[in-house]
Amino acid sequence: VKYQSVFPPKYDLSKVKSPVSLFYSHNDWLSAEMDVFKLHQELGNAVGLYLITDSEFNHLDYIWSTNVHKHVHKRIYKILENY
């Protein structure tokens, strides 16, 4: 047990200086929306929070969906144009 606890120590996410955009969906069974919102608030340089509106889209769809280009990749390309 590295941390002498079942939980790792809290990391100060405000120290993250790289721009971060977060994507989430209502149907994601691995990333709870409440946790995504909390992460967004705690990050030092959150630049975007994007809801994927497809009600069927879930965590595995970031890799396997045939619609991932429409829902995620196009937005990522737009974000990258700013950098």
Side-chain angles (χ1 to χ4, degrees):
V1 179
K2 184 174 183 172
Y3 303 112
Q4 304 302 316
S5 171
V6 293
F7 301 104
K10 184 162 174 53
Y11 183 78
D12 183 2
L13 293 171
S14 68
K15 293 180 179 179
V16 176
K17 300 304 176 195
S18 297
V20 178
S21 292
L22 301 173
F23 292 78
Y24 70 101
S25 67
H26 295 306
N27 194 41
D28 193 330
W29 43 265
L30 191 58
S31 298
E33 288 180 57
M34 181 176 61
D35 293 338
V36 174
F37 299 148
K38 182 179 178 189
L39 175 60
H40 184 260
Q41 288 178 340
E42 293 181 8
L43 282 167
N45 196 13
V47 295
L49 182 62
Y50 303 100
L51 170 63
I52 297 168
T53 58
D54 181 342
S55 63
E56 299 295 316
F57 200 91
N58 68 57
H59 205 80
L60 293 179
D61 289 322
Y62 289 99
I63 297 173
W64 298 110
S65 174
T66 56
N67 293 321
V68 72
H69 179 71
K70 176 177 123 180
H71 295 300
V72 180
H73 295 166
K74 283 185 176 185
R75 174 76 67 172
I76 290 173
Y77 300 149
K78 287 283 189 193
I79 293 166
L80 290 174
E81 287 175 359
N82 295 318
Y83 300 96

